[in-house]
Amino acid sequence: MRLTTKIIIGIILSIFSIALLFIVCFSFTGRKNRNHSNVKIIHLPQENQTGIELPPFRTVIIDEEPYESEEPHITSGDNGSLYIHSIPEKNSPAMLFIPESLKDCVSTGMTGDTLNIKLKLLDLHNKHKSDEYKHHAVFGINLHFIPSEIDIINKLRNLSIQIKNIETDTVKVNSYGDVSIDSCNADVITPVIRTGYKKLTVKNCRAKKINLDLDSNSHWNIENCNIEEENLTGSRNHDMIRHRNESGKINWLPKNREAKLNITVQGDTTQISFNNP
């Protein structure tokens, strides 16, 4: 085979390889763009807050209305939160404030002494849906809650609980979403996170006791708090860092003989006492 023929064949093969590579890259890029175009981003306006007066209750359950159709995609993060504000004076009614855009998509009802707040996510999805998009990402599902008691059960993974500047006897939260307790003064704080990858943060708080089940709170942090007594329990190996600005004592209450608590003490003067019950 002549040298000229070899060169021509090499050029043809090179052009064919480049064209094939271009086609493959374009197909992946096109698929990515098509998927992106199938998501409609919806930002709910937050102005024109509507207040709802609530009946007396002891516990609040946050959930969604059940539906059988395909689940709409609701985006979480700072744009989806239940904000707990200062408890009103004695005999003042509890209030729930929501954006006007959510007025028809939130319902309340009583079961015994339990208040049920339900989000109608399917109605919200249908209200903003477009046939041009397969998925709808909704931002701005924010509820502002002024309760008479803080005993919250949140069953929504995409809704975080934000409690700030509260002075009360008891703060009790059981949540599938993130929980933040900030600048609160309470006798007892009992938070529970039901989803492993969600976070619990307690900061700038004063409390006589905080109760933590470490099996349920895998990602937790207590910082800049004055807590007289920390009651910790669990059934597995758990780690914690003792911060310089924490005070009080730790009670380790294992659920079984295999449970262990590993405490890391930072490089400051610390006194540790061991007492067997």
Side-chain angles (χ1 to χ4, degrees):
M1 183 180 294
R2 293 182 179 181
L3 179 60
T4 305
T5 304
K6 292 181 179 180
I7 293 174
I8 294 174
I9 294 175
I11 293 173
I12 294 174
L13 290 176
S14 299
I15 295 173
F16 178 78
S17 300
I18 293 172
L20 182 62
L21 181 62
F22 178 82
I23 292 172
V24 171
C25 293
F26 181 80
S27 65
F28 279 105
T29 304
R31 184 179 295 113
K32 181 178 179 180
N33 291 335
R34 285 196 298 273
N35 287 340
H36 179 72
S37 65
N38 282 337
V39 178
K40 181 180 180 181
I41 306 299
I42 302 167
H43 294 275
L44 300 178
Q46 299 298 301
E47 61 271 9
N48 300 324
Q49 295 283 320
T50 298
I52 303 173
E53 185 173 326
L54 302 172
F57 60 87
R58 294 193 63 180
T59 302
V60 178
I61 297 179
I62 314 293
D63 203 352
E64 61 182 295
E65 291 280 3
Y67 49 85
E68 298 179 355
S69 61
E70 182 180 355
E71 180 181 358
H73 179 63
I74 304 299
T75 303
S76 62
D78 292 338
N79 294 302
S81 298
L82 175 67
Y83 297 94
I84 312 297
H85 297 279
S86 296
I87 294 175
E89 297 179 358
K90 190 175 182 179
N91 299 325
S92 297
M95 297 291 295
L96 177 68
F97 290 90
I98 61 175
E100 185 73 23
S101 55
L102 281 176
K103 183 177 180 180
D104 299 327
C105 300
V106 176
S107 66
T108 61
M110 294 293 298
T111 304
D113 60 358
T114 299
L115 171 66
N116 297 285
I117 300 176
K118 292 192 176 183
L119 297 179
K120 302 177 182 179
L121 297 184
L122 182 60
D123 291 353
L124 182 64
H125 176 264
N126 292 335
K127 183 178 180 180
H128 297 278
K129 74 176 182 179
S130 171
D131 293 337
E132 299 179 12
Y133 299 89
K134 183 177 181 181
H135 301 287
H136 297 72
V138 181
F139 291 83
I141 302 178
N142 296 317
L143 311 177
H144 294 265
F145 189 35
I146 303 178
S148 55
E149 302 282 346
I150 300 185
D151 186 354
I152 311 293
I153 300 175
N154 172 35
K155 296 186 177 181
L156 299 177
R157 298 176 187 269
N158 295 328
L159 193 74
S160 65
I161 304 296
Q162 312 260 348
I163 305 173
K164 190 172 183 179
N165 296 323
I166 298 292
E167 185 170 351
T168 185
D169 295 333
T170 303
V171 175
K172 187 177 181 181
V173 184
N174 190 317
S175 178
Y176 281 86
D178 293 337
V179 173
S180 173
I181 303 174
D182 185 3
S183 304
C184 292
N185 192 341
D187 290 337
V188 182
I189 299 176
T190 305
V192 176
I193 304 294
R194 292 294 181 186
T195 309
Y197 58 89
K198 297 297 183 178
K199 297 180 180 179
L200 165 67
T201 303
V202 182
K203 60 182 180 180
N204 307 318
C205 291
R206 297 179 63 89
K208 293 181 180 179
K209 292 182 181 181
I210 184 168
N211 302 314
L212 287 178
D213 186 336
L214 302 185
D215 290 342
S216 300
N217 298 290
S218 56
H219 297 285
W220 60 282
N221 186 38
I222 298 176
E223 58 184 70
N224 196 31
C225 290
N226 189 330
I227 298 173
E228 296 180 15
E229 190 172 318
E230 296 181 31
N231 297 314
L232 309 180
T233 187
S235 61
R236 305 185 298 272
N237 286 351
H238 296 283
D239 301 310
M240 69 172 292
I241 298 176
R242 190 66 173 172
H243 293 284
R244 177 182 179 182
N245 52 26
E246 291 183 49
S247 59
K249 65 180 180 179
I250 297 175
N251 295 322
W252 171 234
L253 308 169
K255 296 180 181 179
N256 52 47
R257 291 183 178 275
E258 289 72 31
K260 295 180 180 179
L261 178 64
N262 307 305
I263 303 177
T264 299
V265 179
Q266 294 183 330
D268 299 297
T269 302
T270 303
Q271 182 183 35
I272 300 177
S273 300
F274 294 95
N275 298 312
N276 293 323

